Amino acid sequence: MRTLHLDINDRGSRYAVTGAPARDADAAKAVVAALCRDKRFAKGTHHSWGLIAADGPVKNDDGEAGAGMVILRMLERAELRDHVVVVTRWYGGKHLGGDRFRHIQTAVRDYLASRAESP
């Protein structure tokens, strides 16, 4: 499991992105559960994720409407299969509107770039 702590801080909300191999929705949920055992992540407001598995795409917005679909689209473009990507948001008290999608895209883009850079 790889986590990137990002310098995304908008109106008090902060973001991190995590990824790990996963073959199905149950494995993706297990990754999120393992992530939440870390008390920093347990305090995260949303853990949105996407996964393109052999059975097809699966996602979970975790209360951040539309976030899972944004992640899925990016995974499809990157042709990343059997790998869950989780974007964690710590809500800062102010609604971000559409800006939250830009931050999710930045988080996933940074994660995909970090995968490409390391063996």
Side-chain angles (χ1 to χ4, degrees), residues 7-50:
D7 289 330
I8 300 173
N9 190 336
D10 185 356
R11 291 166 263 181
S13 288
R14 294 177 300 115
Y15 290 82
V17 61
T18 304
R23 293 209 175 273
D24 56 27
D26 289 336
K29 291 173 188 174
V31 168
V32 173
L35 185 64
C36 289
R37 283 195 280 282
D38 179 328
K39 69 180 178 178
R40 289 173 297 165
F41 283 90
K43 293 179 181 181
T45 312
H46 306 286
H47 302 285
S48 306
W49 57 267

Side-chain angles (χ1 to χ4, degrees), residues 87-98:
V87 177
T88 300
R89 176 183 178 191
W90 290 267
Y91 180 63
K94 297 197 176 167
H95 293 284
L96 301 181

Side-chain angles (χ1 to χ4, degrees), residues 71-106:
I71 297 167
L72 276 180
R73 281 192 212 118
M74 294 185 75
L75 295 178
E76 287 171 349
R77 279 193 296 264
E79 297 180 358
L80 182 58
R81 307 252 185 283
D82 296 328
H83 197 94
V84 63
V85 174
V86 182
V87 177
T88 300
R89 176 183 178 191
W90 290 267
Y91 180 63
K94 297 197 176 167
H95 293 284
L96 301 181
D99 287 341
R100 71 186 193 276
F101 296 120
R102 183 171 44 88
H103 301 320
I104 291 165
Q105 289 172 336
T106 298

